[in-house]
Amino acid sequence: HLAEDHRGVLDDPGVGHLQEQVVAFPGALADAGEHREAAVLLGDVVDELLDDDAEYSPTYLKTINNQLSAISYLDGPPRILVLAPPPGEPLGVSGDVGPEESAALISALESAGYTVDRLLPSELPSELPELAGYDSIVLVDVPARELSNRQMTAVQTYVRDLGGGLVAVGGPTSYGVGGYFRTHLEDVLPVDMEIKDEQRRPSLAIVFVIDHSGSMAETSGGPAKVELAKEAAMRSVEMLFPSDQVGVVAFDDTASWVIPLTAAENQGDILNAIGSIRAGGGTDILAGLKAVSAVLPQAEAHLKHIILLTDGGADPTGLPELVSEMNTGFGITLSTVGIGRDAAPFLEDLARLGGGRYHFTADPAAIPQIFTEETSLASRAYIEEHEFFPEQVSPSTVLSGINETPPLLGYVATSPKEAARVILQTDKGDPLLATWQYGLGRATAFTSDASGRWAKQWLGWE
């Protein structure tokens, strides 16, 4: 500033010459992160030079031209945010509980010099300044329904625009079976949630039984529940193979087939029909299930599954007997989804009798993730549980110094995206470890888990 603004004064032969000086500021910066430094030039020389020059104000010169500030960023140990469900959570209606998913992983990260913060999925910050303090986010067997759309959007922006890292570690509530299909998580990760090979799974006939009573028109500050239910059914249809069969029954005081059981190849017509559902009327669950029981037993499919969704109560008379008969007599499984506090209290019992799973959500926005999760599980092809040795298929510094690994006992099947780099694959050719560049950041998928369920022999591996 002095050289540019006051060159006429400073070039005066009586003034002398400008000299560059290097000034060291002693002291240490203790904390990693952003630090601001400021330097101010003090002294009487400048005032004396400009005393007779009314054009320049010494005060202006001192406050503007005689100071400079800069920001420095001090690197510290890499800071990692690990999101994992709490141990001991119930798994469906079987009575089983989930293991500790992340303790071994966190221990390994900390022993390698990382600073690790652990949060529950619901505690994930949705504001970018908070996420920006982390070098990477690690999701450990996190189902999509545990994250809001705002949280998933924040993670996507964090990776794509801020250059952050995302690592997804698998488990039985992750990837396709965790409802990632058609979410921002799927967008960021290097794998698709669908299995592309139709020969990999048995044929499926699935029927969505959707409550469209008057209460389903409620919005709770967002889209109406019936609109979210329609979106959920549409996403699930998009996951099906053309040879699968799909049907939709809508019920209020009565029940009707919105889509009679048909081949899923007519996807456009099916989606249009789902979009026509409107809310209104009462709640008669038995009517909805009776309509299905008259058709689904005769379907030619290896697997037959019903997803029942309701936000209200109903008379349970006859329901347990009907569900048990369909399950024991025809192998038809039933999963139930209850929305809000007014949902029928007997839905969990029906899921148990139907050999399926019970889902409760107070947040209607989670319905699409629950439906795609259920559709993946119903196909019985996405969770692979058997012993196998990972196979390295491309070089990577990730595996520097590692020539072989212990076996794994399972993983979630996915498909690699076109631009993804698959580093390890399973014995069936599915991606086990894949990575790619996403915007300014990177995302990595590990489709096995970090617990004693599938990675038992990895936990004690040096």
Side-chain angles (χ1 to χ4, degrees):
H1 284 295
L2 286 169
E4 293 299 323
D5 297 347
H6 310 294
R7 183 169 300 282
V9 177
L10 296 173
D11 284 346
D12 189 317
V15 173
H17 301 285
L18 291 175
Q19 294 182 349
E20 181 177 306
Q21 296 184 17
V22 177
V23 181
F25 291 85
L29 299 178
D31 299 324
E34 178 182 304
H35 296 269
R36 182 180 295 271
E37 297 86 25
V40 180
L41 179 63
L42 303 175
D44 300 326
V45 176
V46 175
D47 289 349
E48 293 174 5
L49 287 174
L50 303 179
D51 270 346
D52 298 326
D53 195 332
E55 183 180 349
Y56 299 103
S57 161
T59 302
Y60 167 83
L61 192 64
K62 285 182 179 179
T63 58
I64 301 298
N65 298 63
N66 284 15
Q67 67 180 7
L68 187 66
S69 62
I71 296 175
S72 299
Y73 293 90
L74 181 65
D75 285 335
R79 191 172 173 215
I80 310 297
L81 176 59
V82 173
L83 302 171
E89 281 200 323
L91 301 176
V93 296
S94 64
D96 297 333
V97 295
E100 169 55 69
E101 298 279 2
S102 63
L105 178 60
I106 291 174
S107 176
L109 289 170
E110 289 178 337
S111 67
Y114 294 91
T115 299
V116 180
D117 293 338
R118 173 177 173 165
L119 295 176
L120 297 176
S122 60
E123 297 171 331
L124 170 67
S126 58
E127 302 297 330
L128 288 178
E130 293 182 72
L131 294 180
Y134 293 100
D135 294 270
S136 186
I137 298 172
V138 182
L139 305 177
V140 186
D141 195 22
V142 174
R145 52 187 158 81
E146 293 293 325
L147 301 174
S148 68
N149 186 63
R150 183 176 179 182
Q151 288 173 313
M152 286 190 277
T153 301
V155 170
Q156 182 182 39
T157 305
Y158 160 81
V159 178
R160 182 190 61 208
D161 300 338
L162 299 187
L166 176 67
V167 178
V169 178
T173 60
S174 66
Y175 295 103
V177 292
Y180 290 14
F181 182 70
R182 292 284 191 270
T183 67
H184 293 308
L185 289 181
E186 183 180 43
D187 293 340
V188 177
L189 291 172
V191 293
D192 286 323
M193 303 304 121
E194 299 169 280
I195 299 174
K196 307 297 185 183
D197 184 3
E198 192 167 355
Q199 303 302 316
R200 286 279 300 274
R201 64 171 222 196
S203 58
L204 172 67
I206 187 168
V207 178
F208 305 106
V209 182
I210 298 175
D211 179 354
H212 73 129
S213 60
S215 59
M216 288 290 287
E218 295 173 1
T219 62
S220 301
K225 287 182 281 188
V226 70
E227 295 301 320
L228 291 167
K230 288 154 58 175
E231 179 188 346
M234 290 177 180
R235 284 194 197 179
S236 295
V237 168
E238 291 173 343
M239 293 190 73
L240 300 174
F241 287 130
S243 59
D244 290 331
Q245 298 175 67
V246 61
V248 177
V249 171
F251 69 91
D252 47 31
D253 299 306
T254 60
S256 61
W257 284 91
V258 178
I259 302 164
L261 197 62
T262 185
E265 62 184 353
N266 304 314
Q267 194 173 102
D269 294 339
I270 294 169
L271 298 182
N272 288 336
I274 293 172
S276 69
I277 298 174
R278 298 291 181 267
T283 306
D284 189 345
I285 297 175
L286 183 60
L289 291 181
K290 273 188 173 180
V292 180
S293 68
V295 175
L296 192 54
Q298 287 75 46
E300 294 185 2
H302 290 93
L303 303 173
K304 302 173 185 180
H305 188 60
I306 302 168
I307 301 177
L308 166 67
L309 177 143
T310 180
D311 71 338
D315 183 356
T317 303
L319 283 171
E321 295 79 8
L322 179 59
V323 171
S324 295
E325 180 184 348
M326 286 193 291
N327 183 248
T328 58
F330 302 99
I332 297 172
T333 53
L334 168 77
S335 290
T336 58
V337 182
I339 310 170
R341 62 186 180 185
D342 294 327
F346 53 80
L347 292 176
E348 185 171 358
D349 295 330
L350 292 183
R352 183 177 293 107
L353 291 170
R357 291 154 295 275
Y358 168 65
H359 304 270
F360 171 80
T361 180
D363 180 11
I367 298 171
Q369 285 80 44
I370 293 173
F371 267 50
T372 55
E373 182 180 318
E374 268 298 314
T375 304
S376 297
L377 288 168
S379 71
R380 302 183 190 174
Y382 284 85
I383 292 183
E384 293 280 356
E385 291 189 304
H386 61 276
E387 183 174 298
F388 69 94
F389 284 91
E391 177 188 357
Q392 184 173 354
V393 291
S394 66
S396 173
T397 55
V398 173
L399 298 179
S400 178
I402 298 175
N403 299 316
E404 60 182 8
T405 72
L408 291 164
L409 303 178
Y411 66 96
V412 180
T414 60
S415 300
K417 291 180 179 175
E418 186 175 346
R421 183 181 187 185
V422 178
I423 301 170
L424 293 175
Q425 70 178 18
T426 72
D427 58 330
K428 292 191 174 183
D430 296 322
L432 175 67
L433 179 64
T435 187
W436 75 342
Q437 187 79 24
Y438 185 76
L440 299 178
R442 293 193 68 81
T444 296
F446 181 70
T447 58
S448 190
D449 71 357
S451 77
R453 181 196 300 106
W454 295 337
K456 181 178 181 179
Q457 296 189 53
W458 283 43
L459 299 188
W461 176 38
E462 293 182 0

